[in-house]
Amino acid sequence: MNSETEETQLEEQPTCNHIHLARRTNNHVNISKSLKNKLRNSCTCSAKKAKKTFTGFFPVIRWLPKYDFKENTWGDVMSGLIIGIILVPQAIAYSLLAGLKPIYSLYTSFFANLIYFIMGTSRHVSVGIFSLLSLMVGQVVDREVQLAGFDLDDEVFKDIKDGNATDNMECGKECYAISVAAALTLTAGIYQLLMGIFRLGFLSIYLSEPMLDGFATGASLTILTAQVKYLLGIKIPRSPGIGMLVTTWINIFKNIQTTNMCDVVTSAICIAVLVAAKELGDRYKDKIKIPLPTELVVIVVATLVSHYCNLNEVYGSSVSGVIPTGFIPPKVPDFGLMGKIAVDAIPLAVVSFAFTISLSEMFAKKYAYAVKANQEMFAIGFCNIIPSFFHCFATSAALAKTLVKTSTGCKTQVSSVVSAIVVLLVLLFFAPLFYSLQKCVLACIIIVSLRGALRKFKDLPALWRLNKVDAVVWSLTVCSSALISTEIGLMVGVVFSMLCLIVRTQVPHTAMLSHIQDTVFYEDGDRYENLLPIPKTKIFRFECPLHYANKDYFLKALFKKVVIRQKKMLKKLNKAQKGKEQEDVKNSDNHDIHIELLSKKNDFKTIILDCSSIAFLDMSGINTLKTVLKDYKEVQISILLACCNTSVIDALRRGAYFGKEDKDIKNMLFYSIHDAVQFAREKELAATDSTV
């Protein structure tokens, strides 16, 4: 298509007059006065304000008096009973992950449900034992118990190489283990409380969904590996620390000949029953309104079989042992241990809060109500702080139990009280009945509960097609969480996600736009076919805010896509080499930008910068645009800005981009690309007419 035809088609398009809207006068806020007012409001106390603060800190005071018994009681009671029935076997099972006795898991489930009922803002979230947190607690407990001189796989105190016993000798292994867990939980709760005080709930937005999914999947592989020895009934040394997964599998294959066939058979039967029940439940979830309490049935049957067949005495199968009834007197956590585990508590606090607020917001959005991120931080913080005085360990919301609550008609957190009552009955009366329960059965419950996280591997190809960066984030987080450690995996996932975000803003997509025939719109000429080039005009789009970190990339992309010929350099080039058509010469300014120099005349006179994707400019961005304006002006090429938002316009005005008192703003700033194109064309026609 020749130039004459292109100009004719442009003439046929609707013309856009150059509009200049009058800006409203901004009412500048007096910062000093505003701060004084906020301080005065925050420091003054009134009965109304105190009541609002108190009820905000304990949301139950607001909603419980308005509780609709007729509408909500049946759903809350039923969901609470079902969750309680599911919670008991899972709590006992997850004690294996935490390296603690089952009684402590039951304590944790009881107190966490009651505290969240009082302080939580979500109506549906189920807070309690969570496999991932249990694993993280267990890794710290194993490390500290080992450092204290205890054998991880024996109740006997192990000799210390230097011959000096620690202060924990009189406490015993079990006592020291729960002391470490309680101190870790208290520290994590304090971190969460501080985060709530300083209003840091927004930090959860930086934990991307692929990173959290990858972290959960990688930790699930570690959890699975830790349970294999119970499935096979073999005794291998624990391998806490970095490389736990690899070391554990090596030890498993080294000791595979000691497999306990009784445990293997029991494990096979239990896994088959649990998986079959889960699959049937998923397939007929619309018809089966109440989930099958399969875990409880398996535990009851397995306990009865183990007790009456004497599996422990006859076949040497490992059992849960004595689970006492009642409550142990509360005890202040050992503050001397908090210094040792202060760093370990950070990822624990972050993961606990991240999963809680993610689930809270997800179900709040689904059922059309609001949750408060900072209050959730307080709630989960106190779910860790208070129970740490009652021999408990870290808790958070759990997806599987929350889904069960919603599917069984849960309306409010009254269901959590019902669940706590179920756990209390077990603590007071039924706990000793689990004495003969095989540990391999508990391991089966844990492994089957990991199905959802492990199924994420099947979704990886679809994630790769959808977004390759997210797929890489997921894969790297999985590998680092599983092969190194969960804490390092979390750190790697967060850092890599942030790096990906930074790279996206530093190296954004750039495009040269062309005209969509018979419209007033323009699009990327490399992405669409049958677009028309604009005579004597180039349109450049930068799809990112322009700031100090990507200004050099902006210049490089602009000069690469918009090739110019400097007049003064052309003269030197023509004198030195009259017949040569093209050569690269270093730019004369201090940016050292290479500009292509051609011996023929410039074929364009205007560059339009599409600023629709530039959300903001910092000082470096303003100076960059001013430099571009100056450099192209030297070669008689005009720079026009189109589609700027008001914050960008204000920044350019403050930087005197449009000249003194914005005198040139009408000839440099346009509200649409087509408006700028028409202006450039009219300017070119006027210049041609004056020449003629």
Side-chain angles (χ1 to χ4, degrees):
M1 184 178 291
N2 56 38
S3 177
E4 183 178 348
T5 306
E6 293 167 3
E7 292 184 10
T8 303
Q9 289 183 339
L10 278 175
E11 287 176 355
E12 293 173 354
Q13 301 305 316
T15 59
C16 298
N17 296 325
H18 187 189
I19 303 170
H20 182 70
L21 298 178
R23 290 286 298 276
R24 288 183 176 179
T25 303
N26 292 329
N27 296 322
H28 297 287
V29 179
N30 190 315
I31 298 177
S32 176
K33 187 177 180 180
S34 177
L35 288 175
K36 287 180 181 179
N37 290 334
K38 287 185 177 180
L39 287 173
R40 188 184 301 111
N41 292 333
S42 60
C43 294
T44 55
C45 185
S46 63
K48 184 178 180 181
K49 187 175 180 181
K51 180 181 178 181
K52 183 179 179 181
T53 302
F54 186 75
T55 55
F57 198 72
F58 299 104
V60 67
I61 299 174
R62 291 184 177 178
W63 62 264
L64 190 58
K66 304 175 184 178
Y67 187 78
D68 189 340
F69 286 89
K70 184 178 180 180
E71 181 73 21
N72 300 332
T73 302
W74 175 255
D76 286 342
V77 171
M78 286 302 299
S79 63
L81 285 172
I82 293 169
I83 288 297
I85 292 171
I86 294 173
L87 193 60
V88 170
Q90 284 191 349
I92 296 173
Y94 290 160
S95 63
L96 297 179
L97 295 175
L100 301 168
K101 296 294 183 180
I103 189 68
Y104 302 124
S105 299
L106 294 173
Y107 290 159
T108 303
S109 299
F110 173 74
F111 285 106
N113 275 284
L114 288 182
I115 295 169
Y116 191 82
F117 160 75
I118 297 171
M119 300 188 67
T121 59
S122 173
R123 302 173 191 172
H124 300 90
V125 159
S126 177
V127 173
I129 300 295
F130 184 38
S131 58
L132 180 55
L133 291 185
S134 300
L135 173 68
M136 297 175 72
V137 170
Q139 289 177 336
V140 178
V141 168
D142 287 349
R143 186 194 68 206
E144 293 301 321
V145 165
Q146 196 173 39
L147 290 175
F150 292 100
D151 188 342
L152 291 177
D153 300 291
D154 196 353
E155 297 292 335
V156 182
F157 192 79
K158 187 173 64 176
D159 293 335
I160 301 177
K161 293 181 180 179
D162 59 7
N164 297 322
T166 68
D167 295 334
N168 306 299
M169 188 171 184
E170 59 185 35
C171 177
K173 177 186 172 183
E174 179 184 341
C175 172
Y176 187 64
I178 190 57
S179 297
V180 172
L184 179 67
T185 302
L186 176 62
T187 308
I190 292 173
Y191 289 156
Q192 291 168 334
L193 184 61
L194 292 174
M195 291 170 72
I197 292 173
F198 291 106
R199 306 288 179 182
L200 300 179
F202 69 91
L203 292 176
S204 62
I205 64 176
Y206 293 101
L207 301 176
S208 66
E209 184 176 344
M211 188 277 295
L212 288 175
D213 284 344
F215 177 62
T217 304
S220 297
L221 292 175
T222 304
I223 294 171
L224 174 64
T225 299
Q227 300 310 302
V228 171
K229 67 177 183 179
Y230 297 110
L231 295 181
L232 301 177
I234 61 178
K235 293 183 178 181
I236 59 173
R238 289 192 184 181
S239 307
I242 295 175
M244 172 265 185
L245 184 141
V246 176
T247 306
T248 301
W249 279 107
I250 291 174
N251 289 330
I252 288 172
F253 286 112
K254 283 183 178 179
N255 296 272
I256 196 71
Q257 69 277 3
T258 63
T259 298
N260 187 308
M261 293 308 299
C262 176
D263 285 341
V264 172
V265 173
T266 303
S267 299
I269 295 173
C270 290
I271 289 178
V273 172
L274 289 169
V275 171
K278 295 290 184 183
E279 292 295 329
L280 288 173
D282 292 343
R283 180 172 296 183
Y284 300 105
K285 60 183 177 181
D286 295 332
K287 297 181 180 180
I288 305 175
K289 300 299 181 182
I290 299 177
L292 301 174
T294 315
E295 291 92 345
L296 184 63
V297 173
V298 167
I299 281 184
V300 170
V301 173
T303 303
L304 292 173
V305 171
S306 176
H307 176 73
Y308 288 106
C309 295
N310 294 319
L311 298 183
N312 178 243
E313 294 81 3
V314 177
Y315 298 102
S317 181
S318 180
V319 297
S320 298
V322 177
I323 303 177
T325 57
F327 289 90
I328 302 173
K331 178 184 176 183
V332 177
D334 189 347
F335 292 102
L337 292 172
M338 293 176 68
K340 298 180 180 179
I341 49 80
V343 176
D344 301 293
I346 296 175
L348 195 69
V350 172
V351 172
S352 174
F353 167 70
F355 278 98
T356 301
I357 190 60
S358 298
L359 289 178
S360 299
E361 290 180 344
M362 181 173 71
F363 286 96
K365 184 178 180 181
K366 181 178 180 180
Y367 292 98
Y369 64 91
V371 294
K372 298 179 180 179
N374 286 303
Q375 180 58 30
E376 286 294 294
M377 188 87 79
F378 285 129
I380 200 64
F382 278 101
C383 281
N384 287 322
I385 291 174
I386 296 174
S388 67
F389 290 83
F390 295 90
H391 313 281
C392 302
F393 55 93
T395 58
S396 76
L399 176 60
K401 292 192 285 290
T402 303
L403 288 173
V404 172
K405 282 183 80 170
T406 56
S407 65
T408 51
C410 171
K411 301 293 183 181
T412 69
Q413 281 298 330
V414 169
S415 61
S416 296
V417 178
V418 178
S419 300
I421 293 173
V422 174
V423 177
L424 180 63
L425 292 175
V426 174
L427 280 169
L428 296 179
F429 304 107
F430 304 119
L433 300 179
F434 296 105
Y435 174 87
S436 299
L437 178 62
Q438 294 168 271
K439 288 186 177 180
C440 65
V441 177
L442 299 176
C444 292
I445 293 174
I446 293 173
I447 290 173
V448 173
S449 71
L450 301 176
R451 288 187 319 142
L454 295 176
R455 279 177 172 175
K456 295 291 183 180
F457 283 103
K458 186 174 64 175
D459 300 333
L460 183 58
L463 180 61
W464 177 263
R465 291 190 297 269
L466 182 66
N467 191 308
K468 291 180 173 55
V469 174
D470 286 346
V472 172
V473 170
W474 185 89
S475 302
L476 184 63
T477 308
V478 168
C479 294
S480 55
S481 299
L483 300 178
I484 306 176
S485 70
T486 51
E487 292 83 359
I488 294 178
L490 177 64
M491 182 178 66
V492 169
V494 171
V495 171
F496 188 72
S497 296
M498 295 300 294
L499 286 175
C500 290
L501 184 63
I502 292 171
V503 169
R504 287 178 179 181
T505 60
Q506 282 190 285
V507 191
H509 180 255
T510 59
M512 296 300 298
L513 307 186
S514 297
H515 183 226
I516 302 176
Q517 189 173 1
D518 300 328
T519 70
V520 295
F521 303 109
Y522 301 80
E523 257 304 339
D524 187 350
D526 294 332
R527 300 289 179 88
Y528 295 93
E529 296 181 355
N530 302 321
L531 299 185
L532 304 176
I534 312 301
K536 301 198 179 286
T537 302
K538 303 286 186 180
I539 307 174
F540 177 76
R541 177 192 288 165
F542 189 73
E543 299 180 1
C544 184
L546 181 57
H547 47 74
Y548 70 95
N550 61 18
K551 63 181 179 65
D552 291 333
Y553 181 80
F554 172 84
L555 289 172
K556 183 179 179 181
L558 178 62
F559 284 121
K560 183 178 179 180
K561 288 182 177 293
V562 183
V563 182
I564 68 171
R565 274 74 58 188
Q566 286 187 335
K567 232 177 184 182
K568 56 185 179 181
M569 297 300 291
L570 279 172
K571 292 180 180 179
K572 295 179 181 179
L573 182 64
N574 290 332
K575 288 180 181 179
Q577 198 172 6
K578 194 173 182 180
K580 192 173 182 181
E581 187 173 337
Q582 181 176 341
E583 185 178 359
D584 291 333
V585 177
K586 192 175 182 181
N587 190 11
S588 58
D589 63 9
N590 54 7
H591 296 285
D592 292 334
I593 302 294
H594 285 77
I595 301 175
E596 185 181 0
L597 304 173
L598 299 179
S599 58
K600 60 183 181 180
K601 190 178 179 181
N602 288 339
D603 59 351
F604 68 96
K605 296 294 183 181
T606 305
I607 297 175
I608 300 173
L609 299 182
D610 177 9
C611 302
S612 58
S613 299
I614 300 180
F616 65 87
L617 296 171
D618 65 358
M619 184 179 294
S620 298
I622 296 170
N623 291 333
T624 300
L625 289 180
K626 291 173 73 174
T627 300
V628 169
L629 180 65
K630 176 179 175 294
D631 289 348
Y632 279 102
K633 188 176 181 181
E634 291 180 358
V635 291
Q636 299 179 353
I637 293 178
S638 301
I639 299 293
L640 307 181
L641 304 182
C643 306
C644 296
N645 62 48
T646 53
S647 62
V648 170
I649 295 172
D650 290 341
L652 292 171
R653 279 178 163 174
R654 290 192 297 269
Y657 179 84
F658 302 111
K660 189 176 181 181
E661 298 181 354
D662 301 330
K663 63 177 182 178
D664 298 325
I665 190 170
K666 292 184 178 181
N667 298 326
M668 300 173 67
L669 180 65
F670 300 85
Y671 290 96
S672 71
I673 298 176
H674 192 68
D675 194 4
V677 169
Q678 293 296 327
F679 177 84
R681 183 175 177 280
E682 290 170 4
K683 184 179 178 181
E684 178 64 22
L685 289 174
T688 304
D689 293 341
S690 63
T691 303
V692 174

